[in-house]
Amino acid sequence: MDVMDRIKEAVEGNEVIVFMKGTPQLPQCGFSSRTAQALMGCGEEFAYVNVLTDPEIFQNLPRYAEWPTFPQVYIKGELIGGCDITLEMFEKGELQTMIKEAKAGSKEA
């Protein structure tokens, strides 16, 4: 499968996914760590892809959504943003609402 297809499948196949350096339990950069903490603080499960273990995704993800940096958070197939946007949304309570709505929608389907 083409790398862009793999990225698309991961984004569309998960209500909430973060492409990050490392894992939520063992992040490999500060931005990924803070983003994962915000996502975990929402109290819902989320998927993740460790871009350090997949060089093809690491090299091509910036082309997928025209977003040059990591981490990248997607909710319901839409790019939310990186660390700063995710943290700002978390502090305002917007991230929790978006994730709960995304998860609720998947349970109804």
Side-chain angles (χ1 to χ4, degrees), residues 42-59:
C42 293
E44 298 282 347
E45 289 185 20
F46 61 93
Y48 69 90
V49 173
N50 179 354
V51 298
L52 298 177
T53 61
D54 194 326
E56 277 192 312
I57 289 181
F58 183 83
Q59 292 171 353

Side-chain angles (χ1 to χ4, degrees), residues 32-84:
S32 289
S33 175
R34 289 191 293 281
T35 301
Q37 287 175 353
L39 290 170
M40 288 187 281
C42 293
E44 298 282 347
E45 289 185 20
F46 61 93
Y48 69 90
V49 173
N50 179 354
V51 298
L52 298 177
T53 61
D54 194 326
E56 277 192 312
I57 289 181
F58 183 83
Q59 292 171 353
N60 289 284
L61 186 63
R63 288 190 310 133
Y64 180 77
E66 306 280 325
W67 192 265
T69 59
F70 301 99
Q72 292 185 19
V73 176
Y74 293 82
I75 298 176
K76 297 293 280 183
E78 280 188 55
L79 175 66
I80 300 307
C83 180
D84 292 344

Side-chain angles (χ1 to χ4, degrees), residues 14-32:
N14 294 283
E15 291 90 11
V16 182
I17 187 168
V18 58
F19 291 85
M20 61 184 290
K21 293 179 179 177
T23 67
Q25 296 74 27
L26 192 61
Q28 298 295 305
C29 84
F31 297 114
S32 289

